[in-house]
Amino acid sequence: MRILPECSNRSCFGVPARQNAGPIQDYTVSPEGCLFYLEYRSNAGETADLPPLEPDGVEETSSPPPLEPDGSGVHAEAAGQSYVLVKRMPDGGDAFCVSLAGQAGAVACGGLDKAYVLSEDVIYCIDESGRLLDRISVEDGWGTLLEGADGYVYYDPQDSGNAVFEITGDGTLKRLNGPCALGGSFAGSRGGLLYSGADGRLYRYAADSAGWETASPMSCIALQ
């Protein structure tokens, strides 16, 4: 049984390995060994019967809910929506598969087996059962999500602003500037967020002390 779907669309320091290479848009594996992946299904009928992402005690915000009923029991956007999020367990079984609104392009795993999905101008926070916990509005959702140490997740708008945004526990975005005034690029690492500066140095973000420290490439490889 194949556990991991074919995918090579991950990025390193903001440079995608391969653009639009296939139906798998992005993926990540949790520390517990669960696989989360975003899939584009060209046949819209494949998602019509899937459960949409549903709120679970989430107060309504200015962002619209992912899918709205059209009165006939069929979700209006489901027929035209072909992006799904799948959580696959280590034994190969699927824990959930939900349809998503918008063009989903990035997924990241946070603490407590939560998943974060970037879909156009919204970041969805999803629990271990596939239920929507929170939705966070972003001005331009064409960036990516990066994983750090201890379940931290960051939104990288990739707009050359030399900053990423930490997704906090209360669902807000906290700006985190890069340590090099000349600029640089960010990359995710379970050992801590990484930053390749234009000064030729590699930095690692220490979330416990909220500061950047220089790191050797070999030490960062060991942290992966």
Side-chain angles (χ1 to χ4, degrees):
M1 177 181 295
R2 188 181 67 184
I3 303 299
L4 183 67
E6 296 179 3
C7 178
S8 59
N9 196 32
R10 302 299 284 170
S11 62
C12 182
F13 294 112
V15 181
R18 186 169 64 180
Q19 292 284 2
N20 300 323
I24 303 301
Q25 305 299 299
D26 197 12
Y27 75 94
T28 188
V29 179
S30 73
E32 295 75 24
C34 296
L35 170 70
F36 296 85
Y37 67 93
L38 293 172
E39 183 179 6
Y40 173 74
R41 299 185 178 179
S42 57
N43 183 355
E46 293 178 342
T47 62
D49 296 329
L50 291 178
L53 197 58
E54 295 282 359
D56 182 27
V58 180
E59 296 182 0
E60 293 298 326
T61 66
S62 57
S63 302
L67 296 174
E68 291 290 348
D70 64 357
S72 64
V74 177
H75 287 78
E77 293 183 26
Q81 181 49 252
S82 300
Y83 289 86
V84 300
L85 172 67
V86 181
K87 177 185 178 182
R88 184 161 295 177
M89 304 301 290
D91 63 3
D94 288 347
F96 64 76
C97 179
V98 294
S99 63
L100 303 168
Q103 185 174 349
V107 60
C109 185
L112 303 176
D113 213 17
K114 291 188 293 186
Y116 293 86
V117 172
L118 177 62
S119 182
E120 296 183 356
D121 58 353
V122 175
I123 298 173
Y124 295 115
C125 177
I126 304 165
D127 74 3
E128 70 279 2
S129 300
R131 295 174 297 182
L132 180 64
L133 295 176
D134 200 1
R135 55 176 71 88
I136 304 166
S137 297
V138 293
E139 293 184 1
D140 184 1
W142 297 111
T144 191
L145 298 175
L146 303 174
E147 296 173 352
D150 302 322
Y152 283 93
V153 175
Y154 305 87
Y155 167 56
D156 183 1
Q158 298 182 328
D159 59 358
S160 301
N162 199 32
V164 293
F165 296 85
E166 176 189 324
I167 302 176
T168 67
D170 60 3
T172 59
L173 297 176
K174 177 182 177 182
R175 184 182 177 94
L176 176 62
N177 293 316
C180 178
L182 299 175
S185 54
F186 299 86
S189 163
R190 290 276 165 79
L193 183 69
L194 299 178
Y195 178 89
S196 177
D199 57 1
R201 296 181 180 179
L202 181 64
Y203 299 85
R204 184 178 70 89
Y205 184 69
D208 54 351
S209 60
W212 291 97
E213 57 188 32
T214 56
S216 68
M218 292 306 297
S219 66
C220 290
I221 292 174
L223 289 170
Q224 297 297 313

